[in-house]
Amino acid sequence: MSRLSKLYAVYTIAKTEERFLGQAYLTEKDLQAIEDSFIGKLQSEHLITLTDGDVVNISMIESIEEIMPDGE
């Protein structure tokens, strides 16, 4: 895995509550696309692969949280 990517927990909204989608290693490009999606400026479709192999369109993502390695 690239040193430029970090592990994040990925969440979406199902009905009215936040739901955990999975974990994903996200690069700066992924993070920028997610931010663009949050503010409505995403220009094209952007997919990420979760650690379990599922592929998710970032437009489904409502929030992310960095997972810090043990000891940090």
Side-chain angles (χ1 to χ4, degrees):
M1 191 59 50
S2 168
R3 291 186 144 283
L4 299 177
S5 62
K6 294 180 181 179
L7 186 61
Y8 286 84
V10 180
Y11 301 91
T12 192
I13 298 292
K15 297 186 182 182
T16 59
E17 62 184 56
E18 192 171 61
R19 183 174 70 91
F20 178 71
L21 284 174
Q23 297 177 352
Y25 286 96
L26 302 177
T27 64
E28 285 298 321
K29 182 179 177 181
D30 296 329
L31 294 171
Q32 184 61 55
I34 290 168
E35 183 177 323
D36 289 349
S37 173
F38 288 166
I39 61 175
K41 291 189 175 187
L42 187 62
Q43 301 277 329
S44 62
E45 183 176 71
H46 190 95
L47 305 173
I48 61 167
T49 303
L50 302 176
T51 56
D52 67 2
D54 287 346
V55 176
V56 175
N57 187 322
I58 63 155
S59 64
M60 291 181 56
I61 297 172
E62 293 296 327
S63 65
I64 59 174
E65 178 181 13
E66 185 175 354
I67 300 172
M68 300 303 280
D70 290 340
E72 288 189 27

